[in-house]
């Protein structure tokens, strides 16, 4: 029996493939490479010394997906496939709804018709919106997302909940990620953004290898300790291990369970810059510029539920994240294209 990973060539997916293979699971991967490449999966094989099947497949392609289910014995799905750029989602809402929601609907239908009713879904802290107070707890009201990307996560959570209400044989875990950063310690896989990075850590690492001149910090007038925004950065390997725990969980029980995957600690943008400099003994020039539209001042998790029910806790600290991010970037200055 295998775990089917959609979007497995992506940043979080590839790290999760490594942890699953190392934990002894068999896996099958599907990705359309809209934001990744098969080289990431070859590197997963290199790290783990294990082989697995992967398919170039868009999850909206019902017959291709059905064929994968027919060719393999799939017990559960981890569903990463999706578009994730907040800004782009405001320009292309239809594409985001079509890909993320449309893709999920096809996947769920194919799963159901093949008798597979166990799924772990990549949700996001963005579903907590701008009105809740930190730290975010799973029981808080959601529904105030500020961009189409966030709304796709919220709707998909709702679809999965409705599906369980209609058929309580389903077993669903919704994982709300905070800010995944860092890379596998081998430096063979990591985050590989297209073009100018939107997110803080890949921008910093590109400055560190001279691809960008300096970091532009979006605002230092927030009501935080140093005026810059606070986020809960989590090492991608810790996050990947969280998925193993979630898979163990869906094997044991039906229902819909929601877990925050974060460290529970908030760091400011300046904390990240200073830690990166210290961990890698390198300077990161920066300039303070205006706020980025849609940013909230603070976002960090209460991660107690994942510890209590899944036995999962993030182990790596911000220095580990900065060191591993730099290791990946310096070994692969052009990502997988070098
Ligand atoms: P990523 O872009 O690196 O990975 C997503 C993968 O899905 C890519 O390999 C892409 O090619 C693939 N994909 C997209 N649409 C597809 C489709 N229709 N069919 C098949 N494959 C498709 O992103 P990531 O950072 O690894 O994120 C994985 C998941 O976690 C996404 O759903 C994302 O929204 C969610 N998430 C990410 C973050 C983050 O900060 N990275 C935070 C919260 C949630
Ligand atoms: N940020 C920044 N400069 C950049 C990228 C990000 O100052 O080039 C800030 C951003 O405004 C936010 C924090 O870093 O305050 C984290 O941003 P990221 O996009 O990584 O995560 P998100 O805000 O989506 O949680």
């Amino acid at each position: 029996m295998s775990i089917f990973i959609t979007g497995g060539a992506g940043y979080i997916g590839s790290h999760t493939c490594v942890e699953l293979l190392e934990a002894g699971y068999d896996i099958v991967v599907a990705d359309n490479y809209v934001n990744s490449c098969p080289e990431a999966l070859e590197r997963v094989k290199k790290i783990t010394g294990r082989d697995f099947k992967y398919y170039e497949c868009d999850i909206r392609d019902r017959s291709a997906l059905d064929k994968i289910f027919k060719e393999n014995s799939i017990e559960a799905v981890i569903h990463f496939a999706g578009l994730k750029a907040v800004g782009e989602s405001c320009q292309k809402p239809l594409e985001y709804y079509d890909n993320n929601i449309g893709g999920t609907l096809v996947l769920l239908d194919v799963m159901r018709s093949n008798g597979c009713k166990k799924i772990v879904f990549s949700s996001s802290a963005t579903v907590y919106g701008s009105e809740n107070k930190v730290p975010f707890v799973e029981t808080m009201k959601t529904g105030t997302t500020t961009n189409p990307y966030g709304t796709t996560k919220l709707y998909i959570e709702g679809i999965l909940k409705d599906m369980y209400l209609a058929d309580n044989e389903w077993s669903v875990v919704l994982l709300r990620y905070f800010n995944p950063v860092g890379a596998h310690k081998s430096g063979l896989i990591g985050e590989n953004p297209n073009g100018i990075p939107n997110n803080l850590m890949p921008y910093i690492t590109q400055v560190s290898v001279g691809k960008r001149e300096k970091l532009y910090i979006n605002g230092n007038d927030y009501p935080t300790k140093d005026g810059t925004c606070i986020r809960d950065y989590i090492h991608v390997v810790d996050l990947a291990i969280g998925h193993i725990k979630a898979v163990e969980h869906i094997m044991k029980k039906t229902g819909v369970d929601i877990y925050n995957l974060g460290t529970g600690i908030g760091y400011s943008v300046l904390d990240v810059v200073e830690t990166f400099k210290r961990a890698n003994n390198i300077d990161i020039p920066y300039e303070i510029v205006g706020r980025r539209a849609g940013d909230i001042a603070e976002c960090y998790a209460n991660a107690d539920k994942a510890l209590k029910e899944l036995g999962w806790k993030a182990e790596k600290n911000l220095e580990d994240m900065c060191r591993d991010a730099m290791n990946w970037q310096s070994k692969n200055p052009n990502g997988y294209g070098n």
Side-chain angles (χ1 to χ4, degrees):
M1 293 294 257
S2 298
I3 311 293
F4 180 48
I5 322 284
T6 73
Y11 172 46
I12 304 170
S14 56
H15 286 82
T16 303
C17 289
V18 167
E19 296 306 318
L20 284 164
L21 290 164
E22 289 188 340
Y25 287 94
D26 292 322
I27 65 169
V28 175
V29 172
D31 203 301
N32 66 355
Y33 308 125
V34 65
N35 196 36
S36 58
C37 56
E39 173 63 15
L41 295 167
E42 289 302 318
R43 295 196 185 183
V44 168
K45 291 185 179 178
K46 193 167 172 191
I47 292 169
T48 59
R50 290 197 55 197
D51 199 12
F52 58 90
K53 260 200 265 183
Y54 60 83
Y55 295 82
E56 179 168 359
C57 167
D58 190 306
I59 56 163
R60 290 166 295 180
D61 182 341
R62 186 181 301 267
S63 61
L65 210 51
D66 191 61
K67 194 161 169 274
I68 296 174
F69 274 81
K70 297 279 184 299
E71 282 178 15
N72 298 280
S73 168
I74 293 171
E75 191 172 15
V77 175
I78 307 181
H79 178 28
F80 294 107
L83 300 173
K84 64 165 183 177
V86 170
E88 186 186 59
S89 78
C90 299
Q91 311 303 320
K92 298 180 176 175
L94 290 186
E95 284 79 357
Y96 270 67
Y97 288 121
D98 176 47
N99 191 76
N100 293 6
I101 298 181
T104 303
L105 291 176
V106 173
L107 172 68
L108 294 174
D109 193 30
V110 171
M111 285 177 67
R112 181 176 59 176
S113 66
N114 284 279
C116 174
K117 296 186 179 178
K118 299 182 198 308
I119 184 166
V120 176
F121 173 62
S122 299
S123 190
S124 165
T126 190
V127 302
Y128 290 111
S130 51
E131 283 160 25
N132 287 304
K133 293 234 179 321
V134 285
F136 296 145
V137 184
E138 291 86 345
T139 48
M140 283 175 166
K141 199 168 178 311
T142 54
T144 54
T145 50
T146 52
N147 57 76
Y149 163 72
T151 308
T152 67
K153 294 296 176 194
L154 193 70
Y155 286 0
I156 295 168
E157 286 198 359
I159 289 165
L160 288 161
K161 288 175 191 166
D162 282 345
M163 211 180 46
Y164 172 72
L165 288 179
D167 175 359
N168 56 27
E169 286 179 2
W170 278 88
S171 182
V172 178
V173 166
L174 308 176
L175 296 178
R176 292 180 179 161
Y177 310 156
F178 282 69
N179 288 58
V181 295
H184 189 265
K185 63 179 185 306
S186 63
L188 283 170
I189 55 172
E191 191 168 10
N192 184 28
N194 279 327
I196 302 171
N198 294 308
N199 300 111
L200 180 63
M201 189 63 88
Y203 205 104
I204 293 178
T205 59
Q206 292 200 1
V207 172
S208 74
V209 294
K211 282 186 84 173
R212 315 242 161 236
E213 188 196 346
K214 59 183 163 183
L215 171 71
Y216 297 94
I217 295 183
N218 302 315
N220 67 348
D221 57 349
Y222 286 94
T224 61
K225 60 175 186 168
D226 60 22
T228 64
C229 290
I230 304 274
R231 296 287 181 274
D232 185 338
Y233 298 92
I234 171 170
H235 197 294
V236 66
V237 171
D238 277 332
L239 190 74
I241 293 168
H243 291 74
I244 311 282
K245 301 290 184 184
V247 165
E248 288 168 4
H249 188 77
I250 53 171
M251 297 300 183
K252 286 195 291 235
K253 69 180 277 290
T254 58
V256 180
D257 290 311
I258 306 176
Y259 299 100
N260 287 340
L261 294 185
T263 62
I265 305 169
Y267 288 106
S268 73
V269 177
L270 287 171
D271 287 334
V272 177
V273 172
E274 288 311 315
T275 308
F276 193 92
K277 284 162 69 174
R278 199 173 54 246
N280 294 304
N281 197 20
I282 193 167
D283 190 31
I284 300 294
Y286 66 81
E287 181 184 330
I288 308 286
V289 294
R291 290 183 175 196
R292 185 173 72 176
D295 271 350
I296 56 171
E298 292 186 284
C299 174
Y300 57 91
N302 173 317
D304 293 351
K305 191 178 173 203
L307 177 60
K308 193 162 163 241
E309 296 185 13
L310 301 180
W312 173 90
K313 187 172 173 289
E315 303 289 346
K316 295 179 190 290
N317 64 26
L318 189 58
E319 276 205 28
D320 299 325
M321 303 177 211
C322 292
R323 200 191 46 244
D324 291 343
M326 174 79 191
N327 181 43
W328 151 253
Q329 182 73 69
S330 51
K331 287 183 174 155
N332 308 270
N334 299 313
Y336 293 107
N338 50 331

